[in-house]
Amino acid sequence: TYTATYRVRVGGPVISQLVARPGPGRVTITWTTDVPADSQVQYGPTTNYGNATALDRTLVTAHSVTVTGLSRKANYFFQVLSRDGVGSLSSATGSFRTR
């Protein structure tokens, strides 16, 4: 005899280890999620962002998105978005300065 106990998950993936590694006119943003999820980054010179990377629908726990074509020596704000396999969305924010 086997007994299975299921627990409903509340909220989206837990985002951790969020790091922005800026370079000249570019940035690579990495983060992890506790469950497989997709990857997208919104970014811009203000917290209104205004730009977004293409949605990477691959469900992974280690995320990495590189944004190119940015102004050099400029401040940017960003928000990472990850949605798990059942559609629950989580986000985390940060900022960086390009070189």
Side-chain angles (χ1 to χ4, degrees):
T1 302
Y2 295 96
T3 302
T5 302
Y6 295 93
R7 191 174 70 215
V8 175
R9 180 183 175 92
V10 178
V14 175
I15 296 173
S16 60
Q17 300 176 0
L18 178 61
V19 177
R21 292 182 180 86
R26 65 175 170 76
V27 67
T28 298
I29 300 170
T30 59
W31 69 98
T32 61
T33 51
D34 65 331
V35 295
D38 61 17
S39 310
Q40 188 173 31
V41 174
Q42 295 178 334
Y43 62 95
T46 70
T47 54
N48 290 330
Y49 310 117
N51 301 291
T53 62
L55 174 62
D56 182 347
R57 295 183 187 276
T58 307
L59 300 181
V60 296
T61 56
H63 307 264
S64 181
V65 174
T66 299
V67 179
T68 59
L70 302 175
S71 298
R72 293 189 70 168
K73 297 184 180 180
N75 294 317
Y76 285 90
F77 296 89
F78 69 92
Q79 174 175 243
V80 298
L81 304 168
S82 284
R83 189 179 307 269
D84 63 20
V86 296
S88 296
L89 177 67
S90 289
S91 65
T93 60
S95 63
F96 62 90
R97 181 174 176 83
T98 55
R99 289 193 231 150

